[in-house]
Amino acid sequence: MNRITISQAAAHTGETVEIAGWLYNLRSSGKICFPQVRDGSGIMQCVAVKAVLGDEAFEKLKRLTQESSLVLRGKLRAEQRAPGGFEMDVDAFDILQRVPEETPYPITPKEHGPDFLLDHRHLWIRSRRQHAILKIRHEVVKAVRDYFDSHGFTLCDTPIFTPAACEGTTTLFEVDYFEDEKVYLTQSGQLYNEATAAAFGKVYTFGPTFRAEKSKTRRHLTEFWMVEPEMAYATLEDVKNVAEEMICFVVSRVLENRRAELAILERDLTRLESVKAPFPRMSYDQAVEILKKKGSPIEWGGDFGGTDETLLSEEFDRPLMVDRFPMQIKAFYFEPDAQRPELALGVDLLAPEGYGEIVGGGQRIHDYNLLLQRIKEHHLPQQAFEWYLDLRRYGSVPHAGFGMGIERCVTWICGIDHLRETIPFPRMLYRTKP
Ligand code: 4AD
Ligand code: MG
């Protein structure tokens, strides 16, 4: 028997095939029943007739419980009204495991609260919406990799256990290593990217990163995935151009390949279609002026809050780039602006529709003495940064890069409320299970 995935149905119309999946839904009326089966690649509506299957088998199927696993055999037929456009006329089936009536599948078509669903995340990911979001996540990850792979970047993975902080000591997770040694879960692969960029020119890393964020917001995870490119002989302007091009590439890929999933999420496609270069650009100074006019309590020197980011981005139909932040709110490694050394050559990219910062990056200090001074000013342990200082001792060059949080990007592209749905198993302030 020719086993196919439901997504391959179009190529097998009129053939008798086998599909293997789980019972998603079932309607029945007398001598006919309509099991809907999902197999991860799609949903197939099946038609089972008592006269074909015989009394006993028909009753068995008709009484089958939600999410029971089964294999079905039958002939495929095009049917416009069916969910995926095809129907199977069932000849035979095997049940692998029947979910007992006494312990029914906990997620039913009725409304469940977010805590209940998160507690059942291991099952919730089977639902249509969650499935669509995670399919889009895969597309985003693939597009990001394709973008860098086809633009001369070499993938260089960076370590997760690290001896020092990259993004400030307040959000570090400490881990007991061997022999009383302490290490930290990485906040960013950037410092290592700077080393590999001096070896390969253009590099990227893509992996999990960790922040001990005490913030319980819709935008914060304690474990998230970040893609970080880094380029030798590059400046802040290069970062802006690459980020812009990469994001346009990613959005167009999702529009090309994930229409069905965007439709399940009822995403307004015109919002995504307007994501085209050039993106609007402004300085931190200008942003603060705009925010004050809009009634924000921000003062020059302060960081943007979530509301500020929304106020700024609501003016535009595509991502906004804000650059040259006050040095005091930025990490130790930022190159100062030559004209105004109180400003950091950094850029944040704010997604439209109030989704906030999705990219942060900029130009790094390449002068040895200035970097050493900053390490001291930030009370960072110089010993742990000696290898990083080496990069300024041996052939230092202007270099720059950025990081994009995958979950922030997917949340925006999907147009959903909370980034916890964009990762299979979210880790947040009050959630480390399942
Ligand atoms: O702006 P951040 O902190 O920048 C860095 O870590 C740089 N070292 C990156 C680099 O230049 N190589 O973080 C970058 C991005 C943010 O714009 C956001 O998308 C995401 O990482 N991010 C988070 N996503 C989810 N939960 C959190 N707690 C996040 N913190 C940052
Ligand atoms: Mg940032």
Side-chain angles (χ1 to χ4, degrees), residues 167 211 330 348 357 359-361:
E167 294 298 318
R211 303 277 169 102
K330 286 290 171 188
D348 276 5
E357 180 199 329
V359 166

Side-chain angles (χ1 to χ4, degrees), residues 325-371:
F325 290 83
M327 205 52 102
Q328 73 249 30
I329 55 169
K330 286 290 171 188
F332 75 98
Y333 52 70
F334 278 98
E335 174 76 6
D337 185 315
Q339 270 75 53
R340 289 174 61 193
E342 75 279 14
L343 298 183
L345 291 183
V347 62
D348 276 5
L349 192 142
L350 308 180
E353 303 171 71
Y355 281 98
E357 180 199 329
I358 56 171
V359 166
Q363 195 172 324
R364 329 303 188 186
I365 293 173
H366 60 277
D367 177 71
Y368 174 85
N369 291 315
L370 179 58
L371 183 61

Side-chain angles (χ1 to χ4, degrees), residues 3-200:
R3 182 175 292 185
I4 64 160
T5 63
I6 293 171
S7 60
Q8 296 167 333
H12 297 274
T13 325
E15 293 174 27
T16 297
V17 296
E18 183 174 87
I19 58 169
W22 294 263
L23 187 68
Y24 189 69
N25 204 345
L26 190 143
R27 283 187 301 115
S28 69
S29 61
K31 294 175 176 165
I32 183 162
C33 75
F34 304 95
Q36 282 189 348
V37 175
R38 53 161 205 92
D39 74 345
S41 80
I43 293 179
M44 174 76 75
Q45 171 141 310
C46 304
V47 183
V49 182
K50 194 171 184 169
V52 174
L53 294 176
D55 288 2
E56 196 185 328
F58 181 77
E59 285 305 312
K60 233 177 162 180
L61 189 57
K62 197 175 133 182
R63 285 174 211 284
L64 197 61
T65 42
Q66 190 188 347
E67 286 303 317
S68 291
S69 44
L70 76 168
V71 174
L72 300 125
R73 287 170 286 278
K75 199 167 173 181
L76 294 182
R77 190 164 36 72
E79 170 55 72
Q80 289 206 331
R81 287 164 300 175
F86 300 91
E87 259 180 5
M88 172 185 270
D89 291 315
V90 182
D91 294 329
F93 64 91
D94 290 313
I95 295 169
L96 276 83
Q97 188 248 336
R98 182 176 198 280
V99 175
E101 244 105 32
E102 311 80 65
T103 52
Y105 187 67
I107 302 176
T108 58
K110 74 163 198 216
E111 286 271 316
H112 297 284
D115 279 329
F116 178 88
L117 289 170
L118 284 165
D119 286 342
H120 292 85
R121 184 65 176 166
H122 50 295
L123 303 176
W124 189 23
I125 48 180
R126 301 181 188 187
S127 307
R128 238 172 137 227
R129 259 181 72 84
Q130 298 308 310
H131 191 267
I133 295 167
L134 294 178
K135 278 293 209 183
I136 291 171
R137 177 192 170 100
H138 179 196
E139 194 71 42
V140 168
V141 170
K142 175 86 168 73
V144 160
R145 288 195 182 280
D146 286 348
Y147 176 82
F148 288 116
D149 292 347
S150 60
H151 284 78
F153 288 75
T154 298
L155 174 71
C156 282
D157 301 315
T158 52
I160 296 203
F161 288 144
T162 58
C166 177
E167 294 298 318
T169 48
T170 53
T171 61
L172 273 181
F173 279 113
E174 198 176 278
V175 178
D176 283 327
Y177 209 60
F178 305 111
E179 320 279 334
D180 297 330
E181 194 184 341
K182 297 274 185 223
V183 294
Y184 307 96
L185 296 183
T186 185
Q187 298 166 308
S188 156
Q190 179 196 319
L191 305 186
Y192 296 93
N193 275 347
E194 294 181 48
T196 56
F200 297 90

Side-chain angles (χ1 to χ4, degrees), residues 166-167 187-191 193 209-211 213 215 219-230 330-331 333-334 347-349 357-362 364 400-409 419:
C166 177
E167 294 298 318
Q187 298 166 308
S188 156
Q190 179 196 319
L191 305 186
N193 275 347
T209 46
F210 304 85
R211 303 277 169 102
E213 303 262 16
S215 24
R219 294 178 185 171
H220 289 94
L221 294 168
T222 52
E223 177 182 320
F224 62 97
W225 284 68
M226 183 156 45
V227 61
E228 298 179 89
E230 190 74 26
K330 286 290 171 188
Y333 52 70
F334 278 98
V347 62
D348 276 5
L349 192 142
E357 180 199 329
I358 56 171
V359 166
R364 329 303 188 186
F402 66 85
M404 178 173 82
I406 288 297
E407 293 79 13
R408 295 255 184 108
C409 177
L419 89 172

